[in-house]
Amino acid sequence: SFELTQPASVSVSPGQTANITCSGDTLPKQYANWYQKKSGQAPLLLIHKDSQRPSGIPERFSGTSSGTVVMLTISGVQVEDEADYYCQSTDRDNRNVLLGGGTKLSVL
Amino acid sequence: EVQLVESGGGLVQPGGSLRLSCGASGFMFGHHYMDWVRQGPGKGLEWVGRSRTKAHYYATEYAASVKGRFEISRDESENSAYLQMESLQTEDTAVYYCARVDLSGYGWDVWGQGTTVTVSS
């Protein structure tokens, strides 16, 4: 089981906005990070510390946090954004890593 | 260039052992925790464990699924991290990644390309 809960799938059309949520009891106290995972590739850090975008990540990727829920927003979704997305955080003691089950984004 | 390169994957029989290596370059290896993350076929990402720095006593943490069977170590003279896997089970079949931990947010900001471990008779 996962201590961070994500929807299994989200579908959007190109150009629309995709919102992927992640909920967990530790999120009010711990940062969340988001990753994009495409088949055959290593994961890519998209958002760290809830809402910060590492250099090189397109501005269409953004993150927000509100209480026990964090959300990844992809604005103006492109076909190349079709991938699995994972949220990640840590437990209250910063000892163990928590991972969501992943959300498959389909761009129809 | 900041880089992580894994090696050591392969085919192993159930109950067998394997040691994975992760070579780091382009950054101060001794300043970063290093994690191992895996993805089994058709499954999501799964955190395997963590190696902390000398400043944090080289402490390690493990996921419940591997605790007691896997051991993470590091050699700062070699800028390398290692994952020793014992008593391997078919469910350990996965692509194994090493990842650098960004200590400001505990995210994984640098990843290796992954090495495949297949546990099968």
Side-chain angles (χ1 to χ4, degrees), chain A residues 33 38-39 47 63 73 81 85 99 107:
Chain A
N33 308 295
K38 294 182 178 180
S39 180
I47 297 291
T73 297
D81 298 331
Y85 292 84
L99 266 167
V107 182

Side-chain angles (χ1 to χ4, degrees), chain A residues 94-108:
Chain A
N94 281 325
R95 291 187 64 179
N96 294 293
V97 172
L98 306 178
L99 266 167
T103 298
K104 182 176 182 60
L105 176 66
S106 297
V107 182
L108 306 173

Side-chain angles (χ1 to χ4, degrees), chain A residues 33 35 37 86 88 94-95, chain B residues 39 44 52 61 105-106 108 112:
Chain A
N33 308 295
Y35 303 87
K37 177 70 171 71
Y86 293 87
Q88 173 253 325
N94 281 325
R95 291 187 64 179
Chain B
Q39 185 173 35
R52 291 188 173 83
E61 304 289 348
Y106 291 95
W108 298 307

